[in-house]
C-alpha cells in the first residue's frame, strides 16, 4: 500500500490548531487506499499550540509531532518535517486553512497520473491587504525575471511532492532554503493546480514584514547572481558619469561658463552619489558573503526539542 505524509508547520496557531487537525484528518481518513501519517512541526510557538497538539497526539498515534526549541522560521519547519516523512508522496500545507485540504484528493489523482510535483497556484487571494498583494506581486515578478530557474508565480508551499523529489531536497546541504524555488529547481514532472486562496479566518498572519523580506531575499539570493552582476554595471555607469562631470567641469573652467558658482555643490552631490553606490554594492556583497559564512559554519538549520509518536518506526 502506498503511503501519504502530510507536513504542517505551526507557529502560534492555537486558534486554528484543532480545526486544522480535524479538517485535515477528515480528508486523510477518506484516503482509504493509502496508509497515511500527519506530521505537525511546532516552530517554537509561544502560545498554547504545543499543548493542543500534544494532547491530540496522545489520542492519535498517526499524528507525529516535532517541536523546535525556538522559532526557526517557516522554511526550517517544513525542512524538518520533510526529513521525517516516510510516505511515497508528501503534502505540505499551511496550518491556517488558507489552503483548502480538500484539494489534497485532486493532488493525489494527478500524482497517480505520473506527476512528481503538484503545486497549488493561487487564482485569487481573498482577504489579504493591498500592501501584501502588491509586494507579493512585485516580488514574484522580480524573482521570475532574475532567476535562472523559472519559479512559478503566485505559488506558495502548498503542494504534493513525490518521494524521489523529497529525497533530493533532503540531501541538499544548503541553509536559508527557499523551498518553493528548490522544488522547481529539482525538475521532474511538475504540474500546477489552480485554487482560490481563502481568507485567514483564525489568528493573524505569522509573516510580519521582516519575515516576508527575509523570505524574499532568500529567494532572490539563492536563485540569482544578478545582484552581484548589477554591481559591475552600476560601477561602470558611475565611472562614465563621473567622466562626463569631469569634462563639464574642465570646460566650464576654461570657458568661464559659470564663474559665479564655486562648484562645491556639484562636488557634494558627486560624493553623496558615489558613496551611495559604494554602500549599496558593499551591502549586496555582504549578503552573499554572510551566506557563505552561514554555509561554512554548518550550524544546524533547526534544533528539535521533542518528538512524539515516532518510536514506532525509528
Ligand atoms: N509559520 C511557521 N514559522 C514561522 C512563521 C509561520 O511555522 O516563523 C507557519 C504558520 O504557522 C503557517 C505557515 O507557516 O502554518 C504560513 O504562515 P502564514 O499563514 O502566517 O503566512 P501567510 O499565509 O500570511 O503568508
Ligand atoms: Mg496564511
Amino acid at each position: 500500500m502506498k503511503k501519504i505524509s502530510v507536513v504542517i508547520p505551526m507557529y502560534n496557531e492555537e486558534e486554528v490548531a484543532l480545526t486544522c487537525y480535524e479538517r485535515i484528518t477528515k480528508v486523510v481518513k477518506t484516503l482509504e487506499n493509502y496508509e497515511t501519517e500527519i506530521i505537525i512541526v511546532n516552530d517554537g510557538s509561544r502560545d498554547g499550540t504545543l499543548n493542543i497538539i500534544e494532547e491530540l497526539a496522545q489520542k492519535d498515534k498517526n499524528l507525529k509531532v516535532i517541536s523546535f526549541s525556538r522559532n526557526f522560521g517557516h522554511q526550517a519547519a517544513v525542512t524538518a518535517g520533510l526529513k521525517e516523512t516516510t510516505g511515497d508522496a508528501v503534502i505540505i500545507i499551511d496550518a491556517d486553512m488558507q489552503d483548502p485540504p480538500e484539494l489534497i484528493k485532486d493532488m493525489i489523482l494527478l500524482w497517480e497520473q505520473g506527476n512528481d510535483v503538484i503545486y497549488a497556484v493561487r487564482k485569487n487571494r481573498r482577504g489579504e491587504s493591498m500592501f501584501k498583494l502588491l509586494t507579493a506581486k512585485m516580488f514574484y515578478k522580480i524573482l521570475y525575471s532574475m532567476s535562472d530557474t523559472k519559479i512559478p508565480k503566485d505559488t506558495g508551499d502548498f503542494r504534493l511532492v513525490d518521494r524521489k523529489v523529497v529525497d533530493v531536497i533532503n540531501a541538499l546541504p544548503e541553509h536559508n532554503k527557499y523551498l518553493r524555488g528548490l522544488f522547481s529547481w529539482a525538475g521532474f514532472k511538475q504540474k500546477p493546480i489552480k485554487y482560490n486562496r481563502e481568507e485567514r479566518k483564525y489568528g493573524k498572519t505569522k509573516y510580519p514584514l521582516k519575515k516576508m523580506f527575509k523570505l524574499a531575499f532568500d529567494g532572490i539570493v539563492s536563485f540569482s547572481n544578478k545582484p552581484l552582476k548589477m554591481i559591475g554595471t552600476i560601477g561602470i555607469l558611475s565611472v562614465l558619469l563621473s567622466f562626463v562631470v569631469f569634462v563639464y567641469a574642465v570646460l566650464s573652467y576654461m570657458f568661464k561658463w559659470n564663474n559665479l558658482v564655486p562648484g562645491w555643490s556639484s562636488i557634494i552631490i558627486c560624493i553623496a552619489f558615489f558613496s551611495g553606490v559604494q554602500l549599496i554594492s558593499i551591502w549586496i556583497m555582504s549578503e552573499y558573503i554572510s551566506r557563505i559564512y552561514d554555509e561554512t559554519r554548518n550550524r544546524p538549520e533547526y534544533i528539535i526539542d521533542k518528538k512524539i509518536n515516532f518510536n514506532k518506526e525509528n
Side-chain angles (χ1 to χ4, degrees):
M1 214 193 242
K2 285 188 196 164
K3 183 169 179 182
I4 309 273
S5 309
V6 182
V7 173
I8 318 166
M10 279 193 190
Y11 174 57
N12 293 347
E13 300 284 10
E14 62 181 6
E15 293 103 328
V16 71
L18 186 65
T19 320
C20 165
Y21 167 79
E22 282 170 350
R23 244 178 97 182
I24 291 179
T25 316
K26 200 168 144 204
V27 173
V28 162
K29 283 226 172 92
T30 62
L31 306 172
E32 283 153 355
N33 301 324
Y34 300 93
E35 264 184 79
T36 55
E37 68 176 349
I38 299 179
I39 300 183
I40 294 183
V41 186
N42 170 43
D43 183 11
S45 301
R46 266 171 280 164
D47 62 357
T49 306
L50 184 60
N51 290 338
I52 298 172
I53 52 182
E54 267 183 335
E55 234 167 75
L56 290 171
Q58 268 172 9
K59 284 180 243 150
D60 178 358
K61 295 296 166 206
N62 225 13
L63 171 66
K64 300 177 177 177
V65 176
I66 302 170
S67 185
F68 284 178
S69 61
R70 63 168 171 83
N71 181 236
F72 280 93
H74 180 199
Q75 303 290 298
V78 176
T79 304
L82 286 178
K83 281 245 160 79
E84 302 294 342
T85 54
T86 51
D88 300 290
V90 178
I91 287 148
I92 303 166
I93 185 166
D94 283 356
D96 57 7
M97 297 292 101
Q98 280 186 288
D99 307 328
E102 293 70 29
L103 207 68
I104 291 176
K105 291 191 119 175
D106 301 326
M107 288 179 161
I108 293 176
L109 274 177
L110 287 169
W111 174 59
E112 288 290 9
Q113 287 166 16
N115 297 292
D116 299 312
V117 178
I118 294 101
Y119 57 93
V121 181
R122 298 155 187 171
K123 252 196 304 201
N124 66 2
R125 308 170 56 137
R126 248 171 294 158
E128 287 179 290
S129 68
M130 269 299 276
F131 179 74
K132 179 135 189 176
L133 291 181
L134 216 73
T135 45
K137 196 167 182 169
M138 232 167 63
F139 163 67
Y140 285 119
K141 222 177 190 153
I142 294 175
L143 183 63
Y144 193 81
S145 63
M146 275 192 162
S147 156
D148 302 328
T149 310
K150 286 300 162 219
I151 300 169
K153 293 174 211 167
D154 284 324
T155 306
D157 285 316
F158 184 27
R159 64 186 68 222
L160 180 150
V161 189
D162 187 87
R163 178 87 253 153
K164 54 189 178 196
V165 189
V166 174
D167 287 341
V168 170
I169 302 297
N170 285 347
L172 291 177
E174 72 182 74
H175 293 67
N176 297 308
K177 287 200 183 79
Y178 184 66
L179 284 168
R180 33 196 109 155
L182 290 172
F183 285 123
S184 314
W185 164 86
F188 297 99
K189 267 206 181 142
Q190 308 254 345
K191 181 96 186 160
I193 177 168
K194 293 219 161 131
Y195 77 112
N196 287 318
R197 189 159 217 236
E198 297 288 323
E199 235 171 278
R200 202 190 223 277
K201 293 192 195 92
Y202 319 85
K204 278 204 288 281
T205 173
K206 304 299 177 302
Y207 259 99
L209 197 60
K210 207 172 133 202
K211 277 188 181 163
M212 247 165 69
F213 191 73
K214 163 146 193 339
L215 185 71
F217 218 98
D218 283 344
I220 290 172
V221 176
S222 13
F223 280 93
S224 163
N225 290 330
K226 292 228 168 93
L228 261 183
K229 292 186 184 130
M230 252 158 50
I231 297 176
T233 317
I234 296 175
I236 291 169
L237 283 180
S238 33
V239 169
L240 285 178
L241 193 70
S242 61
F243 189 68
V244 173
V245 173
F246 174 76
V247 171
Y248 174 78
V250 170
L251 290 179
S252 72
Y253 175 77
M254 277 168 57
F255 298 107
K256 303 206 167 30
W257 281 343
N258 59 352
N259 41 11
L260 277 176
V261 185
W264 69 269
S265 54
S266 60
I267 291 173
I268 295 287
I269 290 167
C270 283
I271 291 175
F273 179 70
F274 294 116
S275 48
V277 169
Q278 283 174 8
L279 284 177
I280 293 170
S281 313
I282 292 168
W283 167 62
I284 295 178
M285 275 207 290
S286 67
E287 280 296 333
Y288 283 92
I289 291 168
S290 77
R291 258 142 250 255
I292 298 173
Y293 181 52
D294 265 359
E295 302 297 330
T296 52
R297 224 172 12 185
N298 222 355
R299 237 179 236 170
E301 233 178 321
Y302 51 82
I303 300 165
I304 294 176
D305 175 30
K306 226 192 274 196
K307 280 164 87 175
I308 306 171
N309 286 351
F310 277 92
N311 21 1
K312 262 193 298 183
E313 285 142 17
N314 298 351

